[in-house]
Structure formats: structure tokens, C-alpha cells
Amino acid sequence: MVKINLPDSDLTLSNIVWCSHLEKRIQREAHQGHRGLVAWLTGLSGSGKSTIAQFVDEGLSRAGFQTIVLDGDNLRHGLCKDLGFSIADRNENVRRVSEVSRLFLEQGFIVLVALVSPIRETRDQVKHSFAESDFIEIHCKCSLSICRERDPKGLYAKAENGKIPEFTGVSSPYEEPLSPSLILHTSDESVEDSATRLLQMIVNQVKIERS
Ligand code: ADP
């Protein structure tokens, strides 16, 4: 168990001892034969994040990898159901999802996050809170017009009728990543092609190098 030195002034946290999972993670990774990783999919609503995350999850799981999908829509039914869509609430949503991802990463999981996460600075903070080899950012890049056309959950129609305020791409900004680990052009390529490219990147990244 490792005790982190916290500032004395922080009376709440100074009594909390962080339990190190590093050894357990290394053991688990050796046992399961692959490293843990957070693969963070960002993009407009309807750009294909959930579809691709599910597809990759199934492929990896069938091949014996430990995976979990953290889907923004699902999390908003439980863990994040108290949050709205203001920039502050969206940032809190991202923070919670990133902390849940960390818990699974520490158990050696491949965590597939499907979350609009529209603000670049917030995403960058998340990215920098993980070790470089533990995190990849994937941009599901799809034009707004195609996302609107697809409208798989009927949300664009509602947003355009004023029924959903602060909807990304309609009445709230989306800031594209500047240098993501991977761009999936989901307007042009098939689900299978996008998912296969991501799956291959993940499989390469989680390989345990044997010396
Ligand atoms: P998001 O999670 O980004 O809101 P969804 O995955 O829920 O988006 O919806 C994306 C829709 O677009 C689905 O109906 C999916 O079948 C369709 N689609 C078409 N081409 C692609 C592609 N290359 N990648 C992902 N989804 C695609």
C-alpha cells in the first residue's frame, strides 16, 4: 500500500490512503496476456462512437481480451444522471468517465469509451492524466450533415425543434482533436472498416513485449 503525500490543508483527502493496484495490474496483465488501455472515442452524436465501440468490444472479447465499453448515453442513466449539458456539467461528466476508466485500467482492462466529449481542453486534460502508453484518442470524424441525416436516436430533430437545449453541433460547440491517435472517417468508410482499423491499433498497443 502506498501513501500519497497530500497537502496538510486538505483535511478531507489527508485521511484517505490510496491503495496501489500497480502490482495487481502487472500480474493480471501477465496472466491475461495483454496490457490494459483506455481507447477514448470522441465525435459528434451519430458519428458512430457507440457502434464502433460495440463492434470492437465484441471482436476483442471473442478473441479472449478483457474489455468494457463505457458509453456516454448509458452512463447518463445512472452514474451521471444528475448532470445536464452545460459546459461545466459536460466537463464533470468527462471527469467521472475518466476516473471510472482509470479503475478498470488498473485492473488490466481495455476500456472503450464512447463519449461526445466536445471540449478539446477537457479531453487533453484527461489524456495527460494517463501514461502515454495507456491512452489513445480516436476521432470518429463525420460531417454534421451526415450525422443529422442518420440521426439514429432522433436527437438532432428534437434539438432543431428546440426540445434539447445545448445540443452538440446544433447549439453547443464541438472542438475536433488536433492530433488524435487515429481518425476514423465514418462518413465514408463502413462500420467494419472503421472498427477493424481501431481493433488492429488496440491489439498492437496492448501487446506485452517479452524481453
Ligand atoms: P454515436 O455513438 O456517435 O452517437 P451511434 O454509433 O449511436 O453514434 O450511431 C451511428 C450510426 O451511423 C449507426 O446507425 C451506424 O450504423 C451508422 N454508421 C454508418 N457508417 C458508420 C461507420 N463507418 N461507423 C460507425 N457508424 C456508422
Side-chain angles (χ1 to χ4, degrees):
M1 218 182 265
V2 172
K3 189 169 182 199
I4 290 182
N5 289 326
L6 294 159
D8 289 343
S9 57
D10 192 335
L11 292 175
T12 321
L13 285 177
S14 62
N15 292 325
I16 299 174
V17 177
W18 181 256
C19 183
S20 171
H21 295 284
L22 188 57
E23 261 175 50
K24 194 166 161 198
R25 176 176 170 186
I26 292 167
Q27 275 170 11
R28 278 195 186 216
E29 290 180 339
H31 176 68
Q32 68 196 15
H34 69 83
R35 298 182 62 252
L37 179 72
V38 177
W40 190 284
L41 285 79
T42 172
L44 291 166
S45 177
S47 62
K49 302 177 296 299
S50 305
T51 306
I52 293 170
Q54 289 300 341
F55 202 98
V56 171
D57 179 61
E58 275 169 35
L60 287 171
S61 171
R62 255 186 274 120
F65 292 79
Q66 289 287 350
T67 61
I68 183 168
V69 176
L70 298 180
D71 190 288
D73 288 340
N74 295 351
L75 290 166
R76 277 190 178 270
H77 283 96
L79 179 68
C80 302
K81 72 175 176 190
D82 57 319
L83 299 175
F85 291 89
S86 66
I87 297 295
D89 277 7
R90 283 171 187 268
N91 285 345
E92 173 58 12
N93 190 39
V94 168
R95 190 192 68 78
R96 289 184 197 175
V97 178
S98 112
E99 290 306 328
V100 175
S101 306
R102 196 181 316 283
L103 294 173
F104 279 99
L105 176 72
E106 282 165 357
Q107 302 299 320
F109 276 74
I110 297 168
V111 187
L112 298 154
V113 176
L115 197 66
V116 176
S117 41
I119 305 300
R120 188 180 300 131
E121 191 185 348
T122 318
R123 286 194 311 269
D124 286 347
Q125 278 168 7
V126 171
K127 182 172 168 177
H128 293 127
S129 75
F130 289 92
E132 212 176 306
S133 56
D134 283 345
F135 188 94
I136 54 174
E137 182 182 46
I138 300 100
H139 182 199
C140 291
K141 193 173 168 72
C142 186
S143 68
L144 184 58
S145 56
I146 293 193
C147 290
R148 276 185 158 133
E149 225 171 83
R150 286 180 183 162
D151 204 6
K153 297 154 205 153
L155 298 177
Y156 283 99
K158 282 190 187 165
E160 277 151 24
N161 290 332
K163 290 189 185 137
I164 309 179
E166 301 176 290
F167 191 74
T168 306
V170 176
S171 44
S172 187
Y174 178 76
E175 299 171 354
E176 293 194 346
L178 296 179
S179 52
S181 316
L182 182 66
I183 301 178
L184 299 173
H185 295 276
T186 59
S187 303
D188 310 319
E189 58 188 15
S190 68
V191 174
E192 289 76 9
D193 287 350
S194 295
T196 303
R197 288 207 293 129
L198 175 55
L199 198 139
Q200 280 167 353
M201 175 177 250
I202 291 175
V203 169
N204 282 335
Q205 182 103 9
V206 300
K207 263 189 203 138
I208 294 181
E209 304 295 343
R210 308 210 184 265
S211 48

